[in-house]
Amino acid sequence: MFPFRTTQGWAPMRRAVFEFLVIVIGVLVALAADEWRQTRAEFRDLEEHLTSVLDEVRDNLSNVSAVRGGISARKIAGLETIIAHLESGDTTVSDPDALLKALADSAAVWRPFVSRNRFDALNTSGLLRLAVGDELRDVLAGTYEVPETLLGQVALMQGDYPIVVNEIIPSTYQSSLSGMRSYIVEGTAPEIAIDIGAEDAVELIHEDRARLLRLARGEAAVATAVWYALTRIQADFRELEPLLADRVGVPSEADRF
């Protein structure tokens, strides 16, 4: 037979069980509190990353918009002038300097500076997992993949036109006609010793008219591809900007670009 246990005999055991349950519940509450604090901290970090990425997106939008509306437009206008002149067969040039300017613009080779450092930092942080099922995550990834893909395709189309043009433009004109000049606010590069004048350069254009015309047509294809690429890149960043702005609780500036 089991020994008879009095109520007093069970009291210590009940007290031990109660104390054990209190400890377990306390541990669970502490773990839950730690997880809650960690989750809150991660969401704060995510918001900080998203705010930083928003600034980067706006910078990229500004750069792409400036290139599309500035250098790209000048390149297309320069190609129109040069192709029209070469197709006309005319050897009379009233303003050789203006023709050389159009030639230099038509041969400009550049790509907009599209930064992705802040997006990469967000991606590396692993915090994007908090945006599961969020449209923002998909738009972010797609937007930052497009520039490299599209501009890479454009690079594969690039021919020898810029090289040939640089062989025609007199060296002394390079300081004023170089496409790199737009990267500085003040000053110009030193002029290189004069070798030929504008009139002599125009003669070189006419002497190599047929080849230059073929290359210029190829460059027109490049300029057209660049326009399409920039237009898509600009549209993607303009779609992303208000999503980010809404997520971090600030007004959108997409209409500015």
Side-chain angles (χ1 to χ4, degrees):
M1 294 182 62
F2 292 102
F4 179 76
R5 295 182 181 271
T6 64
T7 304
Q8 286 121 351
W10 282 105
M13 183 176 293
R14 286 199 301 269
R15 189 164 47 252
V17 170
F18 175 76
E19 291 175 352
F20 173 77
L21 290 175
V22 169
I23 293 172
V24 169
I25 293 171
V27 170
L28 291 177
V29 169
L31 289 175
D34 285 343
E35 184 177 355
W36 178 76
R37 282 193 293 269
Q38 182 178 352
T39 301
R40 285 196 62 190
E42 287 183 333
F43 271 104
R44 283 196 301 270
D45 290 343
L46 175 62
E47 293 300 308
E48 291 176 3
H49 275 288
L50 290 176
T51 300
S52 180
V53 172
L54 174 60
D55 291 337
E56 182 175 70
V57 165
R58 287 173 173 172
D59 288 342
N60 287 338
L61 248 178
S62 179
N63 291 335
V64 172
S65 299
V67 169
R68 181 175 176 271
I71 301 174
S72 179
R74 291 199 301 272
K75 181 181 180 72
I76 291 174
L79 280 166
E80 288 179 339
T81 298
I82 294 302
I83 291 174
H85 177 74
L86 294 173
E87 287 181 337
S88 72
D90 190 6
T91 59
T92 303
V93 177
S94 59
D95 190 346
D97 286 333
L99 186 64
L100 289 184
K101 174 66 168 59
L103 185 66
D105 287 342
S106 72
V109 177
W110 35 256
R111 58 183 296 166
F113 180 70
V114 178
S115 172
R116 55 176 297 142
N117 294 337
R118 300 178 190 180
F119 168 71
D120 287 340
L122 169 60
N123 213 19
T124 303
S125 73
L127 294 173
L128 275 178
R129 76 183 189 283
L130 300 176
V132 174
D134 195 326
E135 175 191 8
L136 178 60
R137 186 175 67 170
D138 295 334
V139 175
L140 262 171
T143 298
Y144 273 92
E145 287 174 4
V146 164
E148 194 66 31
T149 300
L150 296 187
L151 295 176
Q153 293 178 20
V154 171
L156 294 175
M157 301 173 62
Q158 185 65 64
D160 292 336
Y161 182 74
I163 296 174
V164 173
V165 166
N166 282 331
E167 292 174 351
I168 292 174
I169 296 176
S171 57
T172 192
Y173 280 72
Q174 290 293 348
S175 62
S176 59
L177 297 182
S178 172
M180 300 296 290
R181 185 179 179 184
S182 61
Y183 287 101
I184 64 171
V185 177
E186 298 179 355
T188 56
E191 289 189 2
I192 300 174
I194 295 177
D195 47 6
I196 60 174
E199 293 79 4
D200 295 324
V202 170
E203 286 299 318
L204 292 176
I205 293 174
H206 294 154
E207 288 173 8
D208 207 9
R209 181 189 300 272
R211 181 170 72 118
L212 197 57
L213 179 56
R214 289 195 301 272
L215 292 173
R217 287 171 178 154
E219 194 68 12
V222 174
T224 302
V226 168
W227 188 91
Y228 280 124
L230 293 180
T231 301
R232 169 59 189 274
I233 294 168
Q234 183 186 50
D236 285 352
F237 277 115
R238 289 189 69 178
E239 178 186 358
L240 175 58
E241 194 273 346
L243 290 177
L244 279 170
D246 181 66
R247 182 60 177 267
V248 301
V250 298
S252 172
E253 297 181 4
D255 293 338
R256 232 177 13 97
F257 306 103

